[in-house]
Amino acid sequence: GENVEQHPSTLSVQEGDSAVIKCTYSDSASNYFPWYKQELGKRPQLIIDIRSNVGEKKDQRIAVTLNKTAKHFSLHITETQPEDSAVYFCAASGIQGSQGNLIFGKGTKLSVKP
Amino acid sequence: DSGVTQTPKHLITATGQRVTLRCSPRSGDLSVYWYQQSLDQGLQFLIQYYNGEERAKGNILERFSAQQFPDLHSELNLSSLELGDSALYFCASGLAGGLPHEQFFGPGTRLTVL
């Protein structure tokens, strides 16, 4: 079945620096790749997503890139702020026979130091 | 606020017991997904319902079951509880039942099995 690997597991940056989180997936049939931000004790919140017919998508300080050939996608956060500190999860849409369920990476704990 | 509601917020029970978690999707959403989040396993997909029918199954134990009612709310039933079932249980809802789509998470139910 689908497997999503996420790196790094922890990331510490200075305020204002950029942060990059990378994910790889195994099922070439996957075609939807969302990113979620989860603050301690709260729900995962969708922050950006990308579909396989697009190579890059931006939303203000956040961007996601997708390389279908290599089966990897990345989250880029520029000009990081302390409120960006959270756990970030990447995910890929489910394998054949399923209908949209997400397979998640293990998460990256991002710490932004003021 | 995602528009997805879950009750109860917290649940403390003993091993061997049975509990029911409830989820109401966003208005207009037909799909409900259940996910389990534990410290060592991350976010794991359990089961999906679409418009009252089971659509996909993930790593859901036989002791767990779910259903979606005509008003589209869903319940996740956990029986013969074990210590290892202690986790955060999230439901998420989305509009479509076919192509991968945005999923919005509820606030979760924290289950503690003593």
Side-chain angles (χ1 to χ4, degrees):
Chain A
E2 175 65 282
N3 183 51
V4 177
E5 299 282 342
Q6 182 172 348
H7 299 280
S9 57
T10 60
L11 180 59
S12 182
V13 299
Q14 288 294 134
E15 182 177 0
D17 287 350
S18 295
V20 180
I21 303 170
K22 298 182 179 182
C23 289
T24 59
Y25 61 98
S26 60
D27 186 358
S28 57
S30 291
N31 58 2
Y32 174 65
F33 307 93
W35 286 87
Y36 285 84
K37 173 184 180 182
Q38 187 177 28
E39 297 175 353
L40 190 61
K42 296 191 176 180
R43 75 187 79 196
Q45 287 187 291
L46 179 66
I47 57 172
I48 195 167
D49 57 13
I50 191 167
R51 298 182 187 273
S52 59
N53 58 344
V54 175
E56 184 176 4
K57 184 176 178 180
K58 287 184 179 179
D59 183 3
Q60 299 183 336
R61 297 185 296 108
I62 294 174
V64 57
T65 58
L66 171 65
N67 183 325
K68 285 191 298 181
T69 303
K71 289 191 282 189
H72 68 70
F73 56 112
S74 301
L75 178 71
H76 304 253
I77 306 175
T78 59
E79 300 172 17
T80 53
Q81 301 166 3
E83 51 265 39
D84 294 328
S85 296
V87 179
Y88 290 80
F89 291 94
C90 63
S93 62
I95 60 174
Q96 63 182 16
S98 60
Q99 298 293 331
N101 60 281
L102 299 173
I103 306 299
F104 284 88
K106 294 287 188 185
T108 296
K109 184 176 182 180
L110 173 64
S111 300
V112 180
K113 298 179 180 179
Chain B
D1 185 3
S2 66
V4 180
T5 61
Q6 286 186 252
T7 56
K9 193 171 183 179
H10 300 279
L11 203 47
I12 301 175
T13 189
T15 54
Q17 295 298 305
R18 173 190 168 94
V19 297
T20 298
L21 313 183
R22 181 188 170 104
C23 168
S24 293
R26 294 186 317 160
S27 176
D29 283 355
L30 300 178
S31 277
V32 170
Y33 303 82
W34 287 96
Y35 294 90
Q36 179 192 56
Q37 186 174 36
S38 57
L39 282 175
D40 57 344
Q41 292 294 323
L43 274 160
Q44 298 276 319
F45 167 68
L46 296 178
I47 196 165
Q48 177 204 357
Y49 278 82
Y50 172 72
N51 203 21
E53 294 186 359
E54 182 184 305
R55 183 62 68 95
K57 261 186 174 179
N59 300 320
I60 188 166
L61 300 172
E62 286 191 9
R63 301 183 284 109
F64 295 1
S65 65
Q67 54 185 325
Q68 187 178 29
F69 294 87
D71 67 352
L72 300 178
H73 90 271
S74 177
E75 293 181 355
L76 179 67
N77 301 296
L78 315 177
S79 61
S80 303
L81 285 168
E82 302 175 359
L83 295 177
D85 297 328
S86 296
L88 260 173
Y89 290 85
F90 288 103
C91 78
S93 77
L95 180 59
L99 293 176
H101 52 273
E102 297 89 340
Q103 293 181 29
F104 299 92
F105 281 72
T109 293
R110 182 173 293 281
L111 173 65
T112 302
V113 182
L114 301 175

